Amino acid sequence: MLPGDRITYSPIVSRKPLKLPGNAKMVVWTVTNVEEWDPTQTMPRTVLTPPAGGSPMPDIPNWCWHEYGNRVGFWRLLQVYDDFKIPGVMNINGTAVEAMPELVQACVERKWEFVGHGYTQRNMQKVENERADIKKSAAVIEKATGTKPRGWLGPGLTETWETPDILAEEGYDYVADWVLDDQPVWLKTRGKPILNIPYTQECNDVAMMLIQHHKANEFYERAMDQFEQLYRDAKGLGSARVMAISVHPYIMGAPHRAKYFRKIFEKIRKQKDVLFWSGSQIADWFKKAGPKAPA
């Protein structure tokens, strides 16, 4: 199916109001992306270009840049989650689950939600067998956590023409690749529909820090601008909104950026009518409060 075949156009201003428990205005979910980069492959992203150009292997500087996040940066972010009692959501590669057992165990102990993020960190279009990759990702998460993942986010939000179909067939409840709305929406598949939960491309540290090259404080400024507008929208129309914040340990876990991640929650946590939920909590709520899945 083409993207337009999977979803019906629906102006948010003309929908039936979507209500949250306790008269809350909006939901915030914060997603931490934990990846393992294969040193025998070209690095998914780079901070330092080699003196003679090209894509040399091994690429020690850029591999180490990302690995710093798993060894150090993640634990800075984890402290923020602990301090503000935020339910954690982790998008994680299957290989990362196996490579970093202490990191995984810390999140299991805190009852974080684990979301499938590809077995390896590469475009889904480059995966040899997509269904096998999706199944293997789920299997390693279930083995490590005792729970099969309900949600999926493709590496770099990448999908093939069949990804939603395969995810639905493999028992996933929701996906977050389709960044096109401030409320969850149903996607049609060749079988049963699958829910898409609002994610973010622009309130995302990859976009801000690595592509647009902003100063570290831009992450706080943009998150607060987005929060204030979504809160105003929800209050004005009386219909709930969902806001996502996306971080990577090697980016927002860096020493010069981590304090701006903390500042976001120092501010938002003061709002009593804002909920902090996991992806599964959002999905469960929407299935009861939102429009029914299309036949």
Side-chain angles (χ1 to χ4, degrees), residues 32-38 63-75 78 90-109 114 117-121 140-141 144-145 248-250:
T32 301
N33 297 270
V34 173
E35 304 161 356
E36 187 195 30
W37 292 1
D38 182 352
W63 184 87
C64 290
W65 170 56
H66 123 273
E67 186 63 13
Y68 176 90
N70 298 330
R71 298 167 66 92
V72 183
F74 171 80
W75 305 96
L78 184 64
M90 177 182 289
N91 294 333
I92 187 166
N93 299 148
T95 56
V97 172
E98 299 170 323
M100 293 172 271
E102 294 90 349
L103 186 154
V104 170
Q105 184 58 34
C107 296
V108 170
E109 291 171 357
F114 286 72
H117 194 47
Y119 187 70
T120 58
Q121 186 63 18
V140 296
I141 290 175
T145 68
H248 298 70
Y250 64 95

Side-chain angles (χ1 to χ4, degrees), residues 210-239:
L210 305 190
I211 298 173
Q212 299 165 352
H213 303 294
H214 286 291
K215 291 178 62 177
N217 64 348
E218 171 70 11
F219 195 81
Y220 169 77
E221 298 294 340
R222 190 177 299 189
M224 294 313 306
D225 287 345
Q226 177 162 309
F227 171 79
E228 290 167 5
Q229 183 62 55
L230 290 177
Y231 185 88
R232 186 179 301 113
D233 292 344
K235 190 173 182 180
L237 291 175
S239 190

Side-chain angles (χ1 to χ4, degrees), residues 4 15 25 28 32 43 45 48 57 140 186-187 200 213 225 229 266-267:
R15 297 174 198 166
K25 300 294 185 297
V28 174
T32 301
M43 293 294 98
R45 301 183 184 96
L48 190 66
M57 285 182 279
V140 296
W186 288 105
L187 301 179
T200 178
H213 303 294
D225 287 345
Q229 183 62 55
E266 288 176 348
K267 188 77 174 288

